[in-house]
Amino acid sequence: MPELPEVEVTRRGVAPHIEGRVVRAVVLRREGLRWPFPPELPRLLAGRKVLGTGRRGKYLLIHFDHGTLIIHLGMSGHLRVLAPGIAPEKHDHFDLEVEGPGGRQVLRMKDPRRFGAVLWHDAADGALEHHVLLRELGVEPLEAGFSGKLLYDQTRQRSAPVKQVLLAGDIVVGVGNIYASESLFRAGINPKLPARRISLARYEKLAQAVREVLAEAIVQGGSTLRDFIAVNGQSGYFQQTYFVYDRTGVPCRVCAAPIRQIKQGQRSTFYCVNCQK
């Protein structure tokens, strides 16, 4: 599933092609994906200018003066910017056609597994942060509110493994399975360790590791394991620098011990028993 870096890479790729441009058409090729498409989208957006783009966790946001389009890539979704007139393929479910100084362009969403989403939050319904999908999300890991002290303060009563706490998204948002494993390795913390047993000093190290890992992944275009590609059609290459994720049995890049794989919450966790105490 695309994680925070992949969504941010997508946002940065999309922004120059749609920001400041006027929507000329919206095409819905099915009733919906994970949830139904708002059927009124073509009427709501036609003739409206895109004011800007944003991201909240793994949700891509496209802002208008009367509301925000919320896009989630699901497990297999990605966005492409295309010239108008290119015929849609089997799994191309949504088009946003815009026009600006450079002519018309189409923002097209492909989602073979259909776990993604295209939703609308109307400004009349209140602040965007109160939307049902966004209101319970934790702080953004690349913004000033995220720190080791936050992690420490919020985990004093948490007996769950620290990896599960990172994935929960209520303290810090967007640190998915890949980047949680990589961050815990960089911080030298065993993913099975109960969150409440980790000291403030170690949480400071973990917070820094999370920031570094996510920032590096964004610079490298994210990770491409199966379905994700960027807006320009290129694959990310952060997976080439993994230390633990998807490296079961391979010697650790630091100590040469074989990387171990376990299941936590029905997801695979990868770690080095020597480097992560």
Side-chain angles (χ1 to χ4, degrees):
M1 178 181 292
E3 299 185 15
L4 186 154
E6 289 76 49
V7 179
E8 180 62 19
V9 167
T10 297
R11 188 201 68 78
R12 295 182 184 187
V14 163
H17 299 280
I18 66 172
E19 289 183 345
R21 294 172 180 255
V22 175
V23 175
R24 291 307 178 197
V26 174
V27 179
L28 309 174
R29 297 192 179 86
R30 58 182 301 110
E31 293 184 356
L33 299 172
R34 183 175 182 182
W35 298 289
F37 289 139
E40 69 276 16
L41 268 186
R43 175 183 59 81
L44 281 172
L45 299 186
R48 299 281 191 162
K49 179 183 288 189
V50 177
L51 300 183
T53 61
R55 179 192 51 75
R56 185 70 173 98
K58 301 177 186 179
Y59 294 95
L60 174 67
L61 309 174
I62 301 177
H63 300 297
F64 297 84
D65 62 355
H66 64 315
T68 299
L69 197 64
I70 302 173
I71 298 177
H72 194 281
L73 299 178
M75 297 180 68
S76 61
H78 64 267
L79 298 173
R80 297 286 303 277
V81 175
L82 305 170
I86 296 178
E89 298 178 354
K90 179 179 179 180
H91 300 297
D92 292 341
H93 306 305
F94 168 80
D95 282 1
L96 183 74
E97 185 173 333
V98 298
E99 186 170 28
R104 293 198 177 194
Q105 291 183 304
V106 175
L107 179 66
R108 177 167 292 169
M109 182 174 182
K110 179 187 291 289
D111 187 4
R113 298 190 186 182
R114 302 198 298 274
F115 281 104
V118 177
L119 302 171
W120 174 252
H121 176 78
D122 200 288
D125 294 332
L128 178 63
E129 58 263 31
H130 298 313
H131 188 277
V132 64
L133 294 177
L134 307 181
R135 63 191 180 198
E136 301 296 331
L137 297 181
V139 301
E140 289 286 334
L142 297 177
E143 295 183 359
F146 178 60
S147 67
K149 188 175 187 307
L150 173 75
L151 291 173
Y152 179 80
D153 290 344
Q154 294 294 317
T155 55
R156 294 309 82 203
Q157 305 301 318
R158 301 271 187 120
S159 59
V162 61
K163 166 103 176 315
Q164 297 304 98
V165 171
L166 284 178
L167 294 184
D170 58 332
I171 299 177
V172 58
V173 67
V175 186
N177 199 38
I178 294 172
Y179 303 109
S181 290
E182 290 296 308
S183 298
L184 286 165
F185 174 83
R186 189 171 296 201
I189 297 173
N190 190 300
K192 298 184 290 183
L193 190 64
R196 67 185 182 188
R197 289 182 53 194
I198 299 174
S199 68
L200 174 59
R202 299 191 80 191
Y203 268 128
E204 292 284 8
K205 191 172 183 180
L206 177 58
Q208 182 62 26
V210 168
R211 285 190 290 265
E212 291 174 355
V213 166
L214 293 177
E216 291 169 15
I218 291 170
V219 169
Q220 295 179 40
S223 298
T224 300
L225 297 180
R226 292 181 178 87
D227 301 293
F228 176 74
I229 58 173
V231 173
N232 59 7
Q234 296 181 351
S235 298
Y237 54 93
F238 187 72
Q239 67 273 10
Q240 297 176 13
T241 64
Y242 289 164
F243 278 84
V244 290
Y245 187 83
D246 203 29
R247 301 186 73 240
T248 307
V250 177
C252 173
R253 298 183 191 274
V254 175
C255 73
I259 298 300
R260 295 188 182 182
Q261 177 180 359
I262 59 172
K263 285 287 186 179
Q264 291 183 299
Q266 300 183 353
R267 295 187 182 183
S268 292
T269 293
F270 305 86
Y271 72 105
C272 173
V273 69
N274 286 342
C275 294
Q276 296 173 254
K277 302 299 184 183

